[in-house]
Amino acid sequence: MDMLTGKQIAEAGLSDWRRLAQGLHARYVVGSFGAGVRFAAAVGEAGEALGHQPRATIGGGHVDLKLVSDDAVYRDDNGVEHLVHWVTQKDVDLARRITEIAAAQDAKADPASITAIELALDTAQAATIAPVWAALLTGSTDARGRGTVGDDVRDVSGQVPTLWFQGTDEHATPRQRFHLDVWVPPEVAEQRIAAAVAAGGVVVDDSEAPSFTVIADQDGNKACVCTSLSRDGG
């Protein structure tokens, strides 16, 4: 299936879900671990019926779900098709079905508590160093470029965060090269930034907000608070 645009995902009206990075995420609050297991089992049955499954993590009082297609079709500027990891209509359809299951089982959506982490590394040699990081993080170079048109390292099991490479000029002066991308729902971004500032952090650059805002700690180490919204709010 074709990958959906950010606008198409927003227009789907998935009140329980938020797009963070490449996928749809939801957290449902349940009464107990057993209730979480029963909810996850029902979600699994729905996934089987639709031929698609979410990634599920069961906690003591919540169930975290992620929906992403590993065969979304992306067309580049030359019209060439690529299979990437992204949201498609089948993710939207299953998200809606899960919302119905949650309502029936009295599982309450808590989108404000969702967070997803990605690692970012500044480099002028992504193609050269990507295999090293793929092997370090996943044990195999197969993770390099999986589900992307670039060199991103993506673990098929979801055990480690995605590592992507931010292009930069060659430089000799040591500086921070790694940073975290902290993905949160749009309605949580200001609160998360304010909490970091209250703890001693500094807003270094908010020119691309709400897409991302750069925060630095007292030592100058930087991270980005990211949302699915573009700079113009779209």
Side-chain angles (χ1 to χ4, degrees):
M1 287 188 175
D2 285 354
M3 62 183 291
L4 298 182
T5 65
K7 181 180 179 181
Q8 288 172 319
I9 296 169
E11 290 176 347
L14 303 174
S15 59
D16 291 0
W17 299 78
R18 299 293 182 272
R19 183 180 70 80
L20 307 184
Q22 296 82 32
L24 297 176
H25 294 253
R27 168 169 286 186
Y28 288 97
V29 178
V30 294
S32 65
F33 185 84
V37 171
R38 290 189 291 274
F39 174 59
V43 168
E45 291 179 3
E48 290 288 345
L50 292 175
H52 191 43
Q53 290 287 2
R55 179 170 295 141
T57 303
I58 304 174
H62 66 270
V63 177
D64 289 341
L65 299 171
K66 177 182 177 180
L67 282 166
V68 64
S69 297
D70 60 9
D71 57 355
V73 176
Y74 162 74
R75 295 177 181 84
D76 63 25
D77 293 340
N78 296 317
V80 178
E81 294 186 354
H82 305 268
L83 294 183
V84 298
H85 293 180
W86 195 260
V87 178
T88 67
Q89 188 61 43
K90 62 185 176 183
D91 297 298
V92 170
D93 293 343
L94 183 52
R96 289 193 175 116
R97 179 67 189 113
I98 292 171
T99 296
E100 294 173 353
I101 294 169
Q105 295 197 12
D106 200 30
K108 305 299 184 183
D110 185 14
S113 68
I114 304 166
T115 303
I117 300 294
E118 289 190 335
L119 304 174
L121 176 57
D122 294 348
T123 180
Q125 303 182 67
T128 300
I129 69 174
V132 176
W133 285 102
L136 282 171
L137 294 175
T138 72
S140 169
T141 58
D142 292 344
R144 174 204 173 186
R146 175 182 283 124
T148 174
V149 295
D151 291 294
D152 299 10
V153 175
R154 296 186 183 176
D155 177 19
V156 68
S157 72
Q159 193 169 208
V160 297
T162 292
L163 169 65
W164 66 278
F165 302 96
Q166 181 166 281
T168 186
D169 295 332
E170 291 281 8
H171 54 83
T173 304
R175 66 182 188 188
Q176 181 186 356
R177 292 194 177 192
F178 265 113
H179 71 268
L180 297 180
D181 282 347
V182 182
W183 284 84
V184 298
E187 66 268 30
V188 175
E190 288 188 11
Q191 177 186 358
R192 187 66 61 92
I193 293 166
V197 170
V202 176
V203 175
V204 175
D205 185 357
D206 61 0
S207 62
E208 297 294 331
S211 178
F212 65 88
T213 300
V214 183
I215 306 291
D217 66 14
Q218 294 90 328
D219 279 346
N221 301 305
K222 298 173 184 176
C224 295
V225 177
C226 306
T227 79
S228 60
L229 297 180
S230 61
R231 184 170 57 180
D232 61 7

